[in-house]
């Protein structure tokens, strides 16, 4: 699979959604949907079937971990990249166990976030080209 050309951004902070949208555009993503909470994310994922989902952990109504579990149950082939300010190893491991393909720290410098997203897209593309799915991808995170 080539790099994704459409994506769903899920974050309760509008300015973060704008920043991620700008970074995705730089990576060649042409169509972006966004959701400010977990319920909207689940509805938009079902409606649009995006090629990749960028998901925050701290969300109102339905938390990011629950959203991740529900997304993976309903749409196991859609790669999910966690984009969060939480950087504990426990959280990274939890998201990986729930099926996230990568973990990006959104409070890292913009250039680092862009590089982490680019690396995650490359890993997702490589894994889906050579395997049945993105199961072999290690999480991506900025150094502490």
């Amino acid at each position: 699979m080539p790099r994704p050309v459409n994506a769903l951004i899920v974050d309760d902070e509008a300015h973060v959604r704008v920043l991620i949208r700008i970074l995705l555009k730089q990576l060649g993503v042409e169509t972006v949907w966004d959701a400010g909470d977990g319920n909207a994310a689940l509805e938009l994922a079902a409606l649009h079937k995006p090629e990749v989902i960028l998901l925050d952990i701290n969300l109102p109504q339905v938390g990011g971990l629950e959203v991740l579990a529900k997304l993976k149950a309903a749409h196991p082939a859609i790669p999910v990249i966690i984009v969060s300010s939480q950087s504990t190893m426990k959280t990274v491991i939890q998201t990986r166990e729930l099926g996230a393909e990568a973990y990006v720290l959104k409070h890292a410098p913009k250039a680092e976030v862009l590089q982490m997203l680019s690396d995650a897209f490359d890993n997702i593309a490589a894994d889906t080209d050579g395997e049945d799915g993105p199961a072999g991808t290690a999480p991506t995170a900025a150094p502490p």
Side-chain angles (χ1 to χ4, degrees):
M1 169 181 149
R3 283 181 161 211
V5 295
N6 67 59
L8 171 60
I9 301 168
V10 185
D11 198 297
D12 59 326
E13 298 177 82
H15 70 279
V16 172
R17 292 194 305 268
V18 169
L19 173 63
I20 294 171
R21 181 183 291 266
I22 291 167
L23 296 176
L24 291 177
K25 200 170 249 315
Q26 292 178 31
L27 294 173
V29 175
E30 299 166 3
T31 303
V32 177
W33 303 279
D34 60 56
D37 63 67
N39 288 329
L42 295 168
E43 291 173 14
L44 289 172
L47 180 64
H48 297 294
K49 307 275 191 294
E51 293 177 4
V52 66
I53 298 172
L54 295 96
L55 176 65
D56 187 18
I57 297 292
N58 295 320
L59 295 171
Q61 299 177 20
V62 182
L65 294 174
E66 185 178 346
V67 171
L68 175 59
K70 288 180 177 184
L71 285 170
K72 284 303 188 174
H75 314 284
I78 299 176
V80 178
I81 299 171
I82 301 300
V83 182
S84 181
S85 59
Q86 289 192 26
S87 58
T88 66
M89 188 53 75
K90 178 183 176 188
T91 303
V92 174
I93 290 169
Q94 269 185 304
T95 61
R96 183 68 184 141
E97 289 172 348
L98 289 170
E101 278 70 27
Y103 200 103
V104 174
L105 297 174
K106 67 181 173 184
H107 58 69
K110 183 175 145 186
E112 287 182 32
V113 174
L114 181 63
Q115 186 60 55
M116 287 186 280
L117 288 173
S118 179
D119 291 347
F121 281 13
D122 288 344
N123 288 339
I124 290 166
D127 282 350
T128 55
D129 282 343
E131 301 176 9
D132 292 334
T137 308
T140 304

